[in-house]
Amino acid sequence: MNVAENTVVSFNYRTTADGAEVDSSTQRGGPLTVLVGHGGIIPGLEKALLGRAAGDRFEVSIPPAEAYGERRPGLAQRVPKKYFRNPAQLRPGMMTALQNRDGGRQMVVVTKVGSSVVDVDLNHPFAGRTLDFEIEVTDVREATPEERAHGHAHGPGGHEH
Ligand SMILES: [Zn+2]
C-alpha cells in the first residue's frame, strides 16, 4: 500500500538543520505515526511521503515555506523573570515555556538573560530554517473510521487515549 490521503504512515526520521541534528525518531523512542492529510506534520514532509511504501528510504530538504514558515520580525519581547518557572536556569538559545495572559503556555526561544528581565523570541524555533530529513517508511495502512473522525492516528507512535 502507498501513502495517500487518509492512510496512516509510520516512519523513522532524522532531522538536521545546517548539519546539526535537531530531532529524530531515535530521540523520541520509535517511529512517528501520522494520519496523512490532517495537518499532523509539516506540509513539505507530508508531500514528500505521498506515494511511498513500507521499506522506502529517502532524503528530502524542506524550505521554511513548507516547514515552519519564515521568521517574522517584531516577535521579540522583554519579559520579567518572574513569569518564568525556572529563571535561574535560562540561557541564550534555549527553548522554554512562557505563561501567557490566558493562562496557556507558549514555547519561546531565549535570546538574552538580564538581571531582572529576559529577552525572548516568539517565532517558532525552526521558523526561517531549511530542514533536512532522512526518512525510512516502516508501515502504511488504511486509517480506521475512528482515526478519520479524530483527525489523527492512534496506537504506538500516534495519539494514545
Ligand atoms: Zn483520537
Side-chain angles (χ1 to χ4, degrees):
M1 164 168 270
N2 292 48
V3 177
E5 295 268 313
N6 291 313
T7 60
V8 172
V9 57
S10 299
F11 57 95
N12 286 310
Y13 66 95
R14 181 168 178 267
T15 315
T16 55
D18 303 315
E21 181 173 304
V22 291
D23 192 15
S24 73
S25 45
T26 309
Q27 281 182 33
R28 69 188 300 281
L32 183 64
T33 298
V34 296
L35 174 62
V36 176
H38 293 261
I41 52 175
I42 56 174
L45 186 54
E46 191 166 281
K47 208 180 285 178
L49 281 163
L50 291 176
R52 307 281 181 175
D56 283 2
R57 288 166 180 266
F58 62 97
E59 294 181 16
V60 60
S61 186
I62 301 178
E66 294 278 289
Y68 291 94
E70 300 293 345
R71 292 185 65 80
R72 289 179 292 154
L75 291 183
Q77 276 189 16
R78 180 156 285 180
V79 184
K81 274 191 175 171
K82 64 180 179 184
Y83 291 104
F84 295 88
R85 191 188 275 176
N86 52 346
Q89 284 142 40
L90 296 176
R91 300 284 181 273
M94 71 183 270
M95 271 188 263
T96 188
L98 180 63
Q99 188 129 12
N100 60 33
R101 284 200 190 87
D102 314 322
R105 294 188 156 270
Q106 177 173 12
M107 291 309 290
V108 299
V109 178
V110 175
T111 51
K112 192 177 167 196
V113 182
S115 54
S116 63
V117 295
V118 179
D119 289 350
V120 298
D121 189 333
L122 305 184
N123 278 295
H124 188 282
F126 295 152
R129 306 191 75 180
T130 294
L131 301 177
D132 299 308
F133 287 88
E134 290 167 29
I135 304 287
E136 177 196 15
V137 178
T138 57
D139 187 57
V140 185
R141 63 172 170 82
E142 208 63 72
T144 65
E146 194 187 27
E147 286 174 320
R148 289 185 190 217
H150 287 197
H152 55 230
H154 291 160
H159 275 252
E160 317 262 0
H161 64 150

